[in-house]
Amino acid sequence: MEEKASMVHGVFTSVASSYDRMNDVMSFGVHRLWKAHLINCIRPRASERFLDVAGGTGDIAFAIGRAAEQEARRRRLPIDTRADVTVCDLTESMLVEGQARAQRLDVPYPQYQTRYSWLCGTATGLALPDRQFDCYTISFGLRNVDEPQKALNEAYRVLKPGGRFFCLEFSQVVLPGFDKLYDAYSFNVIPRMGQLVAGDRESYQYLVESIRKFAKQDALEDMMRQAGFERVSHTNLSGGIAAIHTGWRL
Ligand SMILES: C[S@@+](CC[C@H](N)C(=O)[O-])C[C@H]1O[C@@H](n2cnc3c(N)ncnc32)[C@H](O)[C@@H]1O
């Protein structure tokens, strides 16, 4: 494993068991709203195949599955119309947490129950054939990837023509004045919270630093176009703390 991938693997192995709790604590639950917004943009359908890369403990995969099941129920689709969701992640311990959560999922409509599969591997070299998926998602993952351009190229490769790409990621605050407040919170509070809640200051120091180093909105759009995506756009969330980038493989 390359140096950054190995470091990131160490970080997420260390935080896996406290990851879900820390997300709620650090963001005061706001990450749930951002993720719900992402699912609204996707509008998952039960007949589609989804790939959630850097899927971690499965937040996005389960939300896609739930929405697809509801859509099948609403449209009274034939029984056994099921979405396929593949979760791919570099860190086995994150996937183990996700698989445990999958066992505890409520399944209100078993006749439409989503099929989940779990793949341990890297976004930069997906062990998956070309043109397989209707939708590729990566949520709070791309900035952790050692070679993001390679990951975008891979996203394009595995999408079917007509397939859609969605990236939810921390981004650049665009509200004047708010950036200073956000910096103060990020650098002073988050590492301390990491120490208190997860007993791991260093991993959360990495988190805030990685956010500052990652491509800003326009730069990420350019990288997506370079990978081949068309109709590229982004929507800022919470003043640009996070953003959803979308594009199509046409
Ligand atoms: C912050 S978590 C995001 C988890 C989940 N998508 C969410 O939104 O809650 C980042 C995840 O990216 C994974 N990751 C980092 N580098 C990766 C790579 N090169 N390929 C695939 N997954 C990677 C980590 O193991 C970790 O589970």
Side-chain angles (χ1 to χ4, degrees), residues 8 12 19 35 54-56 89-91 94 121-123 139-140 144-145:
V8 165
F12 286 100
Y19 177 79
K35 287 172 176 170
D89 199 284
L90 182 73
T91 311
M94 293 290 278
T122 177
S139 156
F140 301 113
N144 291 300
V145 170

Side-chain angles (χ1 to χ4, degrees), residues 196-209:
L196 275 174
V197 180
D200 184 350
R201 185 189 178 101
E202 269 180 28
S203 294
Y204 287 90
Q205 184 71 35
Y206 158 76
L207 171 84
V208 291
E209 284 169 10

Side-chain angles (χ1 to χ4, degrees), residues 27 30-31 33-34 172-175 178 182 235-243:
S27 74
V30 173
H31 78 106
L33 302 179
W34 294 338
Q172 184 172 42
V173 170
V174 291
L175 295 180
F178 186 47
Y182 175 56
T235 307
N236 288 324
L237 305 173
S238 305
I241 292 183

